[in-house]
Amino acid sequence: MEILWFLLALCMLAAVVGPFVLRRRGGIRQVAPGSPDAADPDTYGFARQEELDIRMPGPDQDLLDVLDVVQGTQEWRAASQLLSGTPKEGEVRWQRVQAFAGAASLELAQRPGVGGAWLRKWRAESPKDAGGAAVHAEFLVQQAWRSSTVGTDDFRVILEEARTVVGEAALLAPGDPVPYLVELAAARGLGYSHEQFDQLWAKIIDRAPAHMGAHIAALHFWCEKWHGSREEADRFATAAAARAPQGSLLAALPLFALYEHLPEVNMVRSFYQSQAVTKAVEGALFAVHAARADDPMLAHVRHLLVLFLVRMERWSEAMGQLVHIDGHVGALPWTESSDPAAEYTVYRALAVAGYEANGGSPATLLR
C-alpha cells in the first residue's frame, strides 16, 4: 500500500512540475548550473541572484541614496525631506513610505532592540512630521505581519497601535491617501466588517480614485482567503478595470485577482491556456503597453506577468518583460517567497531556457 501511495505522489508531482520542465515540442531539459548546455542568463545582461534588490519593484535612485544616508548615519532628516518633496496624490509616496518602514523593520529584525533607531528618533524629535507618522504606522503594520501570528493577541495589539498612528498621520496630512492605504492592511488583519471597509475605501477613493497601489491592497481584503470570495474579488477588480482612465494600469487588476485565487496544486495542464487566464494576461499586457514608461506601478504588473507568461510557455513575451524589470524583485509574486531573489531567478532561468529552445538568443531579444 505504501508503494501505491508513493507512486501516486510521484504522479502528482510530475503533473505539477512537468509543464515547467518539459516543453511539449522540442523539450526544455533541466541541467546542472555551469553545464555547457545550461541557458545562461548572464549572456542577456541580467543581474546575478546575489545582486538582485529585494526592497523595491523597480529603480528609485533618490530613495536608494536617502536610504544609504539614513541607515549609514542613523539620522532621519534626509528621509523626511524626501517624503516632503514627494507628491501626496501619486504612487511614489506610498512606495517610499513602504520602503522606509521595511528598512526599519528589517534593521530591527537583524539587530533586536537597536535596529531602526533612526525611525524612533524621527518620531521623538519631530512628532508633527506627517511623513514620519506615515512611516511609523506602516512600520507597525509590517511588524505585526512579520513578527506575530495572525489572529493572536500580540498581532491585534500591534495593528490597533498602527491604526492609532494612522489617525495621527491622517490629521497631519489632510488629503494624503497614504495613511488610509496603511490602514488597509490593518483592516485585513483586524477583520473589518464589509461596511467598515467600505467606509475606509471611500476615504481613499475621494483622495486618489485611480491609485493602483491602493486597489492592489484593497483587493487582498476581498479575496477568498481573507474576508471576501473569489466572486467578490473578481467583481472588485473588473469594476476597477472597467472605469480605469486611459493609460491606467488598473486595467491589469483582474490579473492580480486571478493570481490571488490560483489553486495551490494545479492538476490541469491546460489551465494556463484557459480563456480566463488568457483574458487576464491580455488585459495586463494591454495596460502595460498603454501606460506611461515612467509609471511607478509598471514594474509591479511586469513582475506578475513574468510568472504567468512563463507558466503559459510564452517565452519571448516573458523575456520582453524581464529586460525591463531585472535587478529588482521587491514585488508580487516573488515577495511571497521566503527567498524572493531565488524564486525570481528560477522563473528567469525557465524563461531563458524556453526562449532559447525555440530559437531565441541575445541577438534576437528586443529591448
Side-chain angles (χ1 to χ4, degrees):
M1 183 59 113
E2 289 81 0
I3 294 176
L4 288 176
W5 281 113
F6 177 71
L7 291 174
L8 179 60
L10 283 179
C11 291
M12 293 177 68
L13 182 63
V16 175
V17 177
F20 308 114
V21 179
L22 184 61
R23 179 115 166 93
R24 279 188 289 271
R25 293 174 299 172
I28 298 173
R29 293 184 297 110
Q30 295 278 46
V31 296
S35 164
D37 295 325
D40 187 1
D42 286 351
T43 62
Y44 294 86
F46 292 150
R48 294 180 179 276
Q49 181 175 325
E50 61 271 20
E51 297 171 343
L52 294 169
D53 191 325
I54 65 172
R55 297 170 295 180
M56 300 180 297
D60 183 342
Q61 194 58 50
D62 289 340
L63 173 62
L64 289 177
D65 291 343
V66 169
L67 271 174
D68 286 342
V69 170
V70 169
Q71 294 186 303
T73 65
Q74 290 296 299
E75 290 295 331
W76 54 270
R77 286 175 176 78
S80 176
Q81 291 172 0
L82 181 65
L83 287 181
S84 296
T86 305
K88 295 178 180 179
E89 64 278 3
E91 306 275 357
V92 175
R93 183 178 177 83
W94 171 227
Q95 293 188 12
R96 288 175 171 175
V97 165
Q98 288 180 300
F100 283 129
S105 182
L106 287 174
E107 277 187 40
L108 186 60
Q110 293 164 357
R111 294 181 293 146
V114 179
W118 55 270
L119 178 54
R120 293 190 290 276
K121 287 178 61 179
W122 188 355
R123 293 291 284 145
E125 296 175 7
S126 186
K128 300 299 183 183
D129 187 315
V135 172
H136 183 201
E138 173 64 15
F139 167 81
L140 290 169
V141 167
Q142 292 192 27
Q143 280 296 101
W145 291 99
R146 178 176 285 122
S147 64
S148 304
T149 302
V150 175
T152 62
D153 289 343
D154 286 347
F155 180 77
R156 294 189 64 85
V157 166
I158 298 173
L159 288 184
E160 289 289 1
E161 184 181 355
R163 191 162 63 168
T164 298
V165 180
V166 161
E168 297 174 12
L171 289 174
L172 291 170
D176 186 354
V178 168
Y180 300 108
L181 266 69
V182 175
E183 190 177 353
L184 287 173
R188 178 160 50 96
L190 291 171
Y192 278 24
S193 68
H194 287 190
E195 182 180 359
Q196 288 176 302
F197 192 85
D198 285 340
Q199 292 171 356
L200 171 60
W201 185 240
K203 295 176 183 178
I204 295 171
I205 291 299
D206 285 347
R207 291 164 174 78
H211 200 291
M212 180 68 173
H215 281 80
I216 293 174
L219 178 65
H220 295 316
F221 179 90
W222 292 113
C223 288
E224 189 174 62
K225 60 187 174 185
W226 287 107
H227 307 294
S229 64
R230 183 187 302 266
E231 292 73 25
E232 286 174 305
D234 287 343
R235 186 159 55 246
F236 176 81
T238 301
R243 65 172 180 268
Q246 185 174 3
S248 169
L249 286 166
L250 285 175
L253 199 62
L255 186 65
F256 286 82
L258 179 64
Y259 171 74
E260 291 294 335
H261 294 92
L262 288 177
E264 290 188 14
V265 177
N266 174 36
M267 300 301 293
V268 182
R269 189 173 186 179
S270 61
F271 175 77
Y272 287 96
Q273 281 74 45
S274 68
Q275 183 178 1
V277 173
T278 300
K279 182 179 179 181
V281 167
E282 293 300 336
L285 286 169
F286 171 81
V288 165
H289 294 149
R292 303 187 329 270
D294 63 347
D295 190 315
M297 292 301 293
L298 189 54
H300 285 271
V301 181
R302 291 190 188 276
H303 279 288
L304 193 58
L305 273 169
V306 167
L307 178 138
F308 277 93
L309 291 169
V310 166
R311 293 186 178 184
M312 296 169 80
E313 301 179 357
R314 291 166 62 167
W315 314 114
S316 180
E317 289 169 287
M319 293 292 287
Q321 303 304 318
L322 285 168
V323 298
H324 290 286
I325 59 173
D326 193 73
H328 299 83
V329 295
L332 287 174
W334 326 121
T335 50
E336 294 202 333
S337 166
S338 59
D339 190 342
E343 185 78 3
Y344 168 82
T345 302
V346 168
Y347 276 84
R348 187 179 66 184
L350 286 169
V352 170
Y355 182 63
E356 294 187 352
N358 288 272
S361 71
T364 60
L365 182 61
L366 297 176
R367 295 179 180 269

